[in-house]
Amino acid sequence: MSQQGEKPAAHEDDWWRKLYDETAPDTGPSSAPDSLDDRFDSVSDTVSEAVEPESEREPEPLPEVRPDPRTAWDPYREQAPPSEEPAREPEPVPVATQAAVPGPRNTVFPAPWEAPAGPPGPRTFAVPKPPEPEPPPAPLTPPAAGPVTAPDPVALHELPPDWAASDAPADGGGGARPLVGHLGDRPPTYEAEPAALPAATSENLDALVPDTVLDGARYGTYTLRAASVRGDSARFRGEPRRDALLTARFGAAESALVLVAVAGGVRGGEGAHLAAADACRWIGGAVARSHARLSEDIRAGRRADLKSGLHRLTDRTYGKLRARAAELGLEPGDYTTSLRCLLLSADPDCRTRVFFGVGSGGLFRLRDGLWQDLEPVIPEQAASGVSEEGPDGDRLTMDLQITTPPSPYSDGPAPPPAELFRFRASVARPGDTLLLCSNGFAEPMRGEPELPDELAERWGPPGPPGLPAFLADTQLRIKGYADDRTCAAVWEA
């Protein structure tokens, strides 16, 4: 009955009774199987074609066996024979009651867990490469008649006969490795190679100098070779090389000027190598600032201007050495050096070679197979170093012979006279060899005739040696000469 008291018709309550009738079966879970496989089968049956009965369906042809793409190109891998297992009968598929859906929906899709049909795809791992075919064996030749001997093992390590000529330098120095030899009946006491390094600390690393310096160049009509080697005595005792060498070019083209500076420190001085390095650096800076004027004077042949100008530059260099000695608290004679320089023009038409310097050393020239000593002559009175001071401290004038009392501001005897300035300008000829050297090389050149004779043979025709050969030539050892050796040689073309 409704709120208005009406009684509904009997057929209107049938659906209510059917839904809540206690005698009706439960509408909960169905007794039919309901898994993922069952649902997939239901969907496949719905979208596939109607399957004919088993009795009327023709057997499906077996899929065509295709070769594996990985082995199709491999001639060394045999293809596996086809499997002889009997074909599996297809499982019965229930007949669909509905009409097949036309179009692309008539395709049967395999289940996710089933193996895909068709040839397998390419794999991602590397396939081993086939072995390379072995080369065919060489034809056997019949052995020659005669006794069979084993090969000499030494012959396997022999060099071809023309190996030295193929590695020979272009300057004609030969392909053999240069060796350091000696002149005289027996070699010197010291070894020919370095033995001990100089002592070093964390504060004097910038003051260390190498055992050997080697350099070379070629400008205009001349070839330059320069070397500085520590002496045998210093090598044995672990002392630094006292000699210093500087080779520098200032300017460019034909107006360029080449400077070669050789300095030799005082023997026994604690900072002798530092004084030599300072002298080379300071004279190099002075020449660099005036190289344009110097190059012009050399090419024009102004000897007087060159001598006065280079004298001033040298005096300024030694003035700096004395000031440096005062800063270090040393005597001027303890912080000094000999200095000898060469100025070479890069102009091919200029063959004027200028030498200047102060102190001991040597200047030689090899012409027509003979050595000439070109050291400038020093006046005997100035070279003797005789003091003008009398026995009582009085000084005499040179001409008037008038005695004068000693100066009240002098604390001691007058200092020895300074080294005289040396200057020489010469014109080179084709085939000449000019040699500038420190005192360690000049002494055996003047005292041992074997050394200049040997160098005249080595440095003559056909031309200048290479750098390694030149270094070996400068180290020709003579018993009794163990000082540092520094030299620069100029070959004229």
Side-chain angles (χ1 to χ4, degrees), residues 284-348:
V287 171
R289 289 186 291 269
S290 306
H291 76 274
R293 178 64 183 273
L294 291 173
S295 177
E296 182 181 353
D297 291 343
I298 292 176
R299 297 167 67 184
R302 304 187 185 102
R303 299 169 58 93
D305 296 343
L306 286 170
K307 184 176 181 180
S308 60
L310 294 174
H311 196 175
R312 288 193 301 269
L313 299 182
T314 306
D315 287 344
R316 293 174 185 174
T317 299
Y318 276 86
K320 291 183 178 180
L321 284 176
R322 290 189 292 269
R324 180 60 176 164
E327 294 177 1
L328 299 176
L330 301 175
E331 294 293 332
D334 296 337
Y335 197 83
T336 187
T337 180
S338 63
L339 179 63
R340 311 176 76 82
C341 305
L342 271 181
L343 289 179
L344 308 171
S345 175
D347 189 354

Side-chain angles (χ1 to χ4, degrees), residues 27 42 113 135 196-197 200 210 263 273 309 316 320 375 419 427 460 466 476:
T27 59
S42 175
W113 56 87
L197 291 173
H273 63 292
R316 293 174 185 174
K320 291 183 178 180
E375 187 73 13
E419 292 284 351
V427 179
L476 284 173

Side-chain angles (χ1 to χ4, degrees), residues 127-429:
V127 180
K129 295 183 179 180
E132 298 181 359
E134 298 181 359
L140 300 177
T141 57
V148 180
T149 58
D152 186 6
V154 181
L156 300 177
H157 303 281
E158 292 181 354
L159 296 174
D162 57 344
W163 72 274
S166 60
D167 295 341
D171 57 6
R177 178 178 299 178
L179 300 176
V180 178
H182 70 276
L183 301 177
D185 299 337
R186 52 181 179 174
T189 306
Y190 298 107
E191 297 181 1
E193 301 298 332
L197 291 173
T201 62
S202 60
E203 300 177 355
N204 70 341
L205 294 178
D206 55 345
L208 297 178
V209 293
D211 176 89
T212 303
V213 176
L214 184 63
D215 204 353
R218 183 171 61 249
Y219 289 98
T221 59
Y222 63 86
T223 301
L224 173 65
R225 298 286 183 263
S228 181
V229 183
R230 187 164 54 141
D232 294 343
S233 176
R235 285 177 168 179
F236 177 78
R237 303 176 187 277
E239 298 175 354
R241 176 171 50 88
R242 296 187 302 268
D243 286 359
L245 173 66
L246 172 66
T247 54
R249 174 182 61 87
F250 309 109
E254 297 180 353
S255 61
L257 187 64
V258 176
L259 168 67
V260 181
V262 174
V266 179
R267 182 183 300 179
E270 183 178 356
H273 63 292
L274 301 178
D278 288 342
C280 288
R281 183 171 61 256
W282 289 332
I283 193 64
V287 171
R289 289 186 291 269
S290 306
H291 76 274
R293 178 64 183 273
L294 291 173
S295 177
E296 182 181 353
D297 291 343
I298 292 176
R299 297 167 67 184
R302 304 187 185 102
R303 299 169 58 93
D305 296 343
L306 286 170
K307 184 176 181 180
S308 60
L310 294 174
H311 196 175
R312 288 193 301 269
L313 299 182
T314 306
D315 287 344
R316 293 174 185 174
T317 299
Y318 276 86
K320 291 183 178 180
L321 284 176
R322 290 189 292 269
R324 180 60 176 164
E327 294 177 1
L328 299 176
L330 301 175
E331 294 293 332
D334 296 337
Y335 197 83
T336 187
T337 180
S338 63
L339 179 63
R340 311 176 76 82
C341 305
L342 271 181
L343 289 179
L344 308 171
S345 175
D347 189 354
D349 298 331
C350 179
R351 289 185 177 267
T352 302
R353 311 304 180 218
V354 178
F355 158 78
F356 69 96
V358 171
S360 59
L363 179 66
F364 305 91
R365 179 173 61 193
L366 178 62
R367 176 174 289 180
D368 299 331
L370 299 176
W371 285 102
Q372 302 172 1
D373 195 341
L374 303 183
E375 187 73 13
V377 179
I378 302 176
E380 296 181 0
Q381 183 178 0
S384 61
V386 178
S387 177
E388 300 177 359
E389 190 174 290
D392 297 331
D394 296 339
R395 297 179 62 86
L396 302 176
T397 60
M398 296 181 62
D399 298 329
L400 303 179
Q401 301 293 329
I402 300 175
T403 60
T404 57
S407 174
Y409 306 102
S410 178
D411 297 334
E419 292 284 351
L420 295 182
F421 177 74
R422 293 172 170 84
F423 175 86
R424 187 183 185 101
S426 60
V427 179
R429 298 178 184 176

